[in-house]
Amino acid sequence: MHIHHSIFHFVWIFSSIAGVCSIRHGQNLIWAQVPSLRNSVSRLVGIEGDPDEWVVSGKVKIRHISAPHLGWEFSALAFDYTTQTLIWSEAMNKRIQSLVLNGSTDTSDVFTGTSPEVYGMAVDWQSGNLYWTDALYNWIIMAPLHARNKTRTYKIIIQTGLDSPHGIAVHTTRGLLIWSDFGERPRIEMSDLLGGDRHVLVDQSLEHPRAITLDGDTLYWVDSQKDTVEAVNIDGTERRIVVVHSGSNFFGIAAYGDYLFVTEQSKGHLKIVDKDDGQNKISYRLGYIPYDIIMYTNYTTGSSHRCDMLQCEQFCVDMPDPGARCICGEGFNITDDGRSCELTEQFVQPSHIYAVHDAICHYPANVADMSLLNVTLDKQCFLDKRHGYLALAFDARENFLYYSENNTKTISRINLEVGATAETVAGGTGVVAGLCLDWVSGNLYWTDSSSQLIKVASRHGTFQRDLITTNLDNPLGIAVHPGRGRLYFTDPGDTPKVETAYTDGSDRRTILDYDLGSPNHLYIDYTNDMMYWSDSIKNHVRRYNLETEQLTIVFRLDNTGFYGISIFQDIILWTDRNDMNGIHMARLDKEEKIRGILHPHYGIAQDLVTFDVNNQPLFNSSCREGSNPCSQLCLSGAEDATWCTCGLGYQLAEDDVTCISSIAGNNFLLVTDAYQRQVFQVSSSNGVVHAVRHSTRHSPIAIGFDPIKMRLYWSDNTVHIIKGSNLDGDFAEIVVGMDDEAVVDGLAVDHINKLLYFTDAGHNLIGVVSLTNYTHHTILLTEDVDEPRAIALLPLEGIFFWTDWGVEPRIERASMDGSDRSTFVSLDKNSWPNGLAVDSKSRRLFWVDAQFNTVSMIFLNGTGQRVMLKEDVAHYFGITIMGDYLYLTDWKKTYISRMHKEGGALEEFGTDSFTKLYGIYGFNRTEVVLGNSVCVFKECQQLCLPRPHNMFTCACMEGFRLNDDRRTCIQETTPAPATTRLATTPTTTSPNAATTSTTVKATSPSIQTTLMSSPSSVTSLSSSTTVKSPVTSVIPAASPGLSSSTPKTFTSQNSITGAPTSKHPTTEYEAHEPAAPVSTTQSRLSSGTVAAVVIVVLLACIIAVVVAVVIYRKHRQYKIPHGKLLEDDPQRVDTFYRITFPDNNKDEPVMIDNGIENPAYDCVSDDDGDKDAYNVH
């Protein structure tokens, strides 16, 4: 029976017919359908043939592909006709699959880890790429369909400005990508094939635009809210409504010839209409809920040869302008050849990063939906040093992660890229459970529950100051809103509360102080102006509208200890530190949990952040870093006011923007604070602190002072230099530039003879440099120097002392030219002598011990050695004498301590706002030792070194030797060869313990293809061990103010003759006559002996293997185990994954069947049209 075009027909297509065959390659109208009652399987259904024929005749050939299990949900469809490939998204298993329509049932995974809401897909057959929208993650992704290698890659091309993207289409010849978005601001947008040149095509009179399709230069779409099918030209002209049908819930649309094919979900219809006038041709009742629909036919125009010629390793994109080119997926960069891809060094954004106390770990953005097959903690954790990681913050644009370590009481940051090294930005903290970074102003804020305060500093840790210090019991979570200039913080103490204040600490207000259990961490949605916090006692997450101040409980789950919190699109993520210790995810829009990943009990989950540049929008702020007027910190106050403030030791000038420091000229202490990157001057009379102004800040350690010229000198082991400046910071210059292995922890100035002495524990040496010509420096001692630390001088007597905390801890003395060396004090083998000070008036030597926490003394004649003070908890570093007091620095304290030099109790002196104090020096003009230099009027050409009894020794810098006159230096004809050294980390670590440097290194990238994670983000930490054996020094010659780039080898000068002394024995070779042949007799072993030897060897091998296994297991006890995260019940919606130990590294079996039910082709004769045709009734 034929159908007239103007007549509407209503037809049933039964969902299950025994004689129906599989979809095969050729012209087909194909749609996805899901059973309404979920009592049968989902199917891909096709009507075979040319619509111009079967629409008119009414005879259709139905073929289908069925899902293998109940619960599968086919939704979006796409195809590549040239390769006979059908592609679909499947919601239950959250993946995109493909099938070649050649009778095979072997599917291929194009991408795993989608959300269940992939509703639109499109193929650029010319470039061979698949595009799809994800309405939950709000992004558009592309993936190659025919990658040249086996690495499955993808690229997120659009992830901003999307709300709920749905339909997508590719205009291949014009190089356009078009998509619909049915979010809060419905619109249809377009861009080029890489997301560039993005603009709105339609944004008026839209309510719920869903699927779209292209027919030439005309775009068609369905609006499920307006019940319309509409069209517009791709240039935005001639918009029209094609169909209006009240009560419909249109979903998919396809175009071919004169027809539009539309799926409708409320009644389960497939409608065929005329694309020009909208007249209905046929409406099929399917008995299922239909989703996407495509016209599987050969639409191809043009050619793919341009991409074929390029032979791209991952992607090829062919656009009219600039033509075909190769690109790389997430986690890869294009190489110089323009075709190959290499792993990027940086982590991929977005990703979720969280602390588990013993490590910091990460997952990709789609952790809620990705497969966890063979996923292990050691692959996901990149900082695993068990330092008690608590709080996290990040700078997405600069690619830095900030974190606090409870064990070391520090805040550090690390660049999230392979090979990066962590940098400590603040130390001497208490328990820092909350961190946040104002990425606009560059200020770092943190809560300190031990000190019950909130602090602020620059992003580098400099200019620290207390911000809020009152009415805080247990401050924990903290967040900043740069656009509003406000801080938000929680306090789960005795009176729990959530508060806010301006970033300068003013206008402090309570948001909520009742109906709270334990408010923990915070998250701010800057786009919607919402602030969220977790409550582990109330078992809920509460939302606070920053504009209306309305409070709402948005998610509640019994027996859940919500702690760290983040929100990504419509997914809320949280950490739980209780029985469900781990990271968990839920859908906010559906208020249902979708996944939990449980951790071992030793890895207690802590803070959580989503590392995403979209979480840090660029607000307009008068405190914008680089453009605000403040010389140090810029803070916001009421009425958009900008307040400049200064760090410790500085005061605001009259202009209210510049920070100045008033340096005293007498009676002061100089101390170095490595974490604040500052040299401070502290008044010895009242403890007032002034900062020595420096334009460049690194990490000052040792300190020395010239009381005559009023110049200070300090070492910096970060950039490996010794530097000097005036007290006010002027005339700063580099004295000596070291190589990267140098660790200078001790400095002492001989102001009488204009010399600077230093210790170098990196190269195990003691050196000296002339303060009148910095190029004149040499090494005094290297032999039997183990770990030299502090150094003290008696210039008028020509002797000096130093501490050595190496294998044989001791205090030594020598003449200032390095001669007459002897051990002055032998110490216990576990001692750790650090700071050293000599009192020429009382003829005493004082030192501190960081191992036994003692302050000791001895007279210079070697008598009267005694312990003056011992503490239970301390880590002394520096000591100096001033007046009647000894002043000490202690890593365990944030203040200077002092005690009477005759003995007595230790007391706090001055401020407690320091972080980590190292070197210390005291100056009182009346105590300066004056005298005449033995080198005055002496004619040493380079260096004049004093000795006892008004004697001196002339010395030469490396590459020179003393002339016969013992005064002048001549260049050596054969310079000593340079010696390569092993790098060491800074001293003041236990002499019996290895020091570690935190670095990120790449590990196996195999997890990337299924996790949507950067190959480089799978990281761990490497460590380096301190080497104590003496090595030859390498110090580059340096011009005044400049660091030499070429290291040079120095040998010590002999203090008596001035001749260089070799520290390395030479090997002598002797010539010998050939020896007479020696006759030997070959021995034969019996078979029994051979067997016995074999047995012994086998036993030895077995024992060696057993010992190796034991050692390995012992080693692994200190590493996070390679535990797999396994699914307990794959059918559960609320599924948990637990850490288990791998079974001989075997992969876990695949949980879900990859195959599909695909009827055989020979079930129907192609010639028998009536057998599989459905006639109109």
Side-chain angles (χ1 to χ4, degrees), residues 354-357 389-391 521 563-564 575 577 604-608:
Y354 63 109
V356 291
H357 199 268
Y389 306 105
L390 295 180
H521 283 286
Y563 190 71
T575 58
R577 304 192 301 168
I604 301 174
Q606 303 291 339
D607 200 4
L608 164 70

Side-chain angles (χ1 to χ4, degrees), residues 975-986:
T979 305
T980 303
R981 285 176 170 76
L982 296 176
T984 61
T985 54

Side-chain angles (χ1 to χ4, degrees), residues 751-960:
H751 60 279
I752 295 176
N753 300 295
K754 309 305 180 187
L755 299 170
L756 177 65
Y757 286 76
F758 60 90
T759 63
D760 182 347
H763 296 123
N764 296 327
L765 62 85
I766 296 175
V768 62
V769 57
S770 169
L771 292 180
T772 59
N773 187 336
Y774 298 156
T775 62
H776 294 164
H777 50 66
T778 191
I779 296 172
L780 292 180
L781 298 168
T782 59
E783 187 175 353
D784 296 328
V785 177
D786 197 350
E787 295 289 351
R789 231 300 276 134
I791 188 168
L793 311 177
L794 287 174
L796 292 179
E797 300 178 33
I799 60 174
F800 72 100
F801 302 85
W802 72 94
T803 58
D804 191 312
W805 54 267
V807 176
E808 298 179 358
R810 61 198 181 274
I811 299 174
E812 294 190 75
R813 63 162 283 170
S815 298
M816 291 176 65
D817 64 352
S819 63
D820 302 324
R821 176 182 175 183
S822 63
T823 297
F824 189 63
V825 181
S826 295
L827 299 171
D828 186 279
K829 66 177 181 179
N830 294 321
S831 294
W832 192 347
N834 256 353
L836 186 69
V838 62
D839 186 351
S840 60
K841 292 183 179 179
S842 65
R843 308 301 294 170
R844 286 182 292 182
L845 186 70
F846 300 88
W847 74 93
V848 292
D849 192 304
Q851 178 65 33
F852 296 115
N853 305 329
T854 57
V855 180
S856 302
M857 62 144 284
I858 189 173
F859 287 103
L860 295 184
N861 61 8
T863 64
Q865 179 179 345
R866 68 184 179 95
V867 174
M868 303 174 64
L869 176 76
K870 179 176 175 60
E871 285 193 286
D872 293 333
V873 179
H875 189 112
Y876 302 126
F877 187 90
I879 184 172
T880 191
I881 305 167
M882 190 174 179
D884 294 329
Y885 288 94
L886 301 175
Y887 295 85
L888 290 74
T889 60
D890 184 342
W891 286 2
K892 300 291 186 179
K893 299 180 179 67
T894 58
Y895 53 83
I896 298 171
S897 301
R898 78 174 184 178
M899 63 177 291
H900 199 281
K901 66 181 181 180
E902 300 302 330
L906 202 63
E907 61 183 17
E908 178 179 343
F909 178 77
T911 181
D912 62 353
S913 298
F914 297 118
T915 58
K916 194 170 187 178
L917 295 176
Y918 282 78
I920 185 168
Y921 181 90
F923 171 75
N924 184 315
R925 187 171 288 111
T926 63
E927 297 177 351
V928 176
V929 177
L930 301 175
N932 295 322
S933 170
V934 296
C935 293
V936 175
F937 307 121
K938 303 300 186 294
E939 297 179 354
C940 293
Q941 184 179 5
Q942 294 186 0
L943 287 164
C944 179
L945 306 178
R947 294 175 59 194
H949 313 299
N950 292 321
M951 308 261 313
F952 70 92
T953 297
C954 292
C956 300
M957 58 186 292
E958 192 272 339
F960 290 81

Side-chain angles (χ1 to χ4, degrees), residues 906-1117:
L906 202 63
E907 61 183 17
E908 178 179 343
F909 178 77
T911 181
D912 62 353
S913 298
F914 297 118
T915 58
K916 194 170 187 178
L917 295 176
Y918 282 78
I920 185 168
Y921 181 90
F923 171 75
N924 184 315
R925 187 171 288 111
T926 63
E927 297 177 351
V928 176
V929 177
L930 301 175
N932 295 322
S933 170
V934 296
C935 293
V936 175
F937 307 121
K938 303 300 186 294
E939 297 179 354
C940 293
Q941 184 179 5
Q942 294 186 0
L943 287 164
C944 179
L945 306 178
R947 294 175 59 194
H949 313 299
N950 292 321
M951 308 261 313
F952 70 92
T953 297
C954 292
C956 300
M957 58 186 292
E958 192 272 339
F960 290 81
R961 63 178 176 84
L962 280 175
N963 208 341
D964 294 337
D965 61 7
R966 321 310 295 166
R967 296 289 188 271
T968 59
C969 298
I970 60 173
Q971 190 165 8
E972 294 181 321
T973 57
T974 306
T979 305
T980 303
R981 285 176 170 76
L982 296 176
T984 61
T985 54
T987 62
T988 65
T989 313
S990 169
N992 300 316
T995 61
T996 60
S997 59
T998 304
T999 57
V1000 178
K1001 65 179 182 180
T1003 58
S1004 171
S1006 61
I1007 198 172
Q1008 179 223 354
T1009 56
T1010 57
L1011 298 190
M1012 281 189 60
S1013 63
S1014 164
S1016 65
S1017 63
V1018 183
T1019 57
S1020 60
L1021 297 179
S1022 63
S1023 64
S1024 58
T1025 305
T1026 300
V1027 180
K1028 294 187 177 181
S1029 57
V1031 290
T1032 304
S1033 170
V1034 180
I1035 301 180
S1039 299
L1042 297 174
S1043 174
S1044 173
S1045 60
T1046 305
K1048 296 182 180 180
T1049 303
F1050 286 78
T1051 57
S1052 66
Q1053 300 292 332
N1054 186 289
S1055 59
I1056 299 176
T1057 63
T1061 303
S1062 172
K1063 299 294 186 295
H1064 302 282
T1066 58
T1067 303
E1068 298 181 358
Y1069 295 89
E1070 297 181 351
H1072 298 277
E1073 293 294 328
V1078 179
S1079 61
T1080 60
T1081 304
Q1082 184 176 4
S1083 61
R1084 298 181 180 273
L1085 298 176
S1086 66
S1087 58
T1089 303
V1090 172
V1093 171
V1094 171
I1095 292 173
V1096 171
V1097 171
L1098 288 175
L1099 288 174
C1101 292
I1102 293 172
I1103 293 172
V1105 170
V1106 171
V1107 171
V1109 170
V1110 171
I1111 293 174
Y1112 175 76
R1113 289 183 175 177
K1114 206 171 184 66
H1115 168 72
R1116 294 299 293 164
Q1117 290 176 359

